[in-house]
């Protein structure tokens, strides 16, 4: 029997980023009671990795365009959290605040486009993240027939 906390998971989505400097888009994982890990990107390329209300890391993406589609990922392997943009590892952090929970996408009540949302189990911890990125689309079924709300923050 595998403990859910030990599973290696990847939450992935393609997004078009927001238009004003305060707007954000985010992919979140291990969310329980509206708190979890969130990888947020703001217009202009500033990004943050947060655990609930605690900032784990932040920086700025070079050459980030708010009118182009980007792929955001947040990956979990035990207490290791990796965040990627367009297949490039942006940051890795170690944190044990949240051990399990739901996946989510968000835009901070701003207009944003999301597409190809998926949650997949990563291969064994012995497989490198870059090796996995090249194989992530194997067995993933893409659906484009959804319209409506994905979820809401309260």
């Amino acid at each position: 029997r595998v403990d859910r906390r030990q599973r290696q998971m990847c939450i992935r989505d393609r997004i078009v980023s927001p238009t004003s400097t305060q707007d954000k888009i985010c992919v979140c994982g291990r969310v329980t009671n509206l708190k979890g890990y969130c990888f947020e990107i703001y217009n202009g390329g500033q990004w943050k990795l947060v655990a609930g209300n605690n900032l784990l890391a932040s920086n700025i993406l070079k050459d980030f365009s708010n009118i182009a589609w980007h792929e955001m990922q947040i990956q979990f392997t035990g207490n290791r959290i990796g965040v990627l943009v367009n297949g490039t590892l942006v940051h890795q952090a170690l944190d044990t605040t949240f051990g399990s929970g739901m996946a989510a996408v968000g835009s901070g009540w701003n207009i944003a486009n999301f597409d190809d949302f998926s949650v997949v189990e990563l291969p064994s911890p012995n497989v490198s993240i870059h090796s996995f990125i090249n194989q992530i689309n194997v067995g993933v079924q893409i659906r484009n027939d959804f319209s409506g709300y994905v979820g809401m923050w309260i």
Side-chain angles (χ1 to χ4, degrees), residues 1 5 13 30 32 36-37 41 43 47 49 51 53 68 73 83 89 100-101 112 124 130 141 154:
R1 187 176 139 157
R5 295 170 188 256
D13 201 3
R30 296 185 176 174
T32 305
Y37 295 104
I41 298 181
N43 186 13
W47 64 266
L49 174 61
N53 296 325
Q73 292 183 37
V83 292
L89 183 64
S100 63
S124 91
H130 295 292
Q141 181 182 11
I154 298 174

Side-chain angles (χ1 to χ4, degrees), residues 49-67:
L49 174 61
V50 296
N53 296 325
N54 298 323
L55 179 67
L56 297 180
S58 67
N59 209 330
I60 296 177
L61 298 167
K62 295 179 183 173
D63 302 321
F64 186 81
S65 168
N66 68 317
I67 59 171

Side-chain angles (χ1 to χ4, degrees), residues 12 115-118 137 139-145:
R12 176 180 76 161
D115 194 18
D116 299 339
F117 178 78
S118 64
N137 288 320
V140 174
Q141 181 182 11
I142 305 298
R143 293 186 57 184
N144 293 314
D145 59 349

Side-chain angles (χ1 to χ4, degrees), residues 9 113 132 153:
M9 301 301 294
N113 294 309
F132 172 71
W153 293 98

Side-chain angles (χ1 to χ4, degrees), residues 92-152:
Q92 279 190 324
L94 296 175
D95 192 82
T96 58
T97 305
F98 303 100
S100 63
M102 298 179 290
V105 293
S107 65
W109 296 104
N110 305 297
I111 296 172
N113 294 309
F114 299 90
D115 194 18
D116 299 339
F117 178 78
S118 64
V119 178
V120 295
E121 189 165 0
L122 293 171
S124 91
N126 297 328
V127 175
S128 73
I129 288 176
H130 295 292
S131 170
F132 172 71
I133 290 168
N134 294 329
Q135 302 170 24
I136 193 166
N137 288 320
V138 176
V140 174
Q141 181 182 11
I142 305 298
R143 293 186 57 184
N144 293 314
D145 59 349
F146 176 80
S147 65
Y149 295 103
V150 173
M152 85 170 77

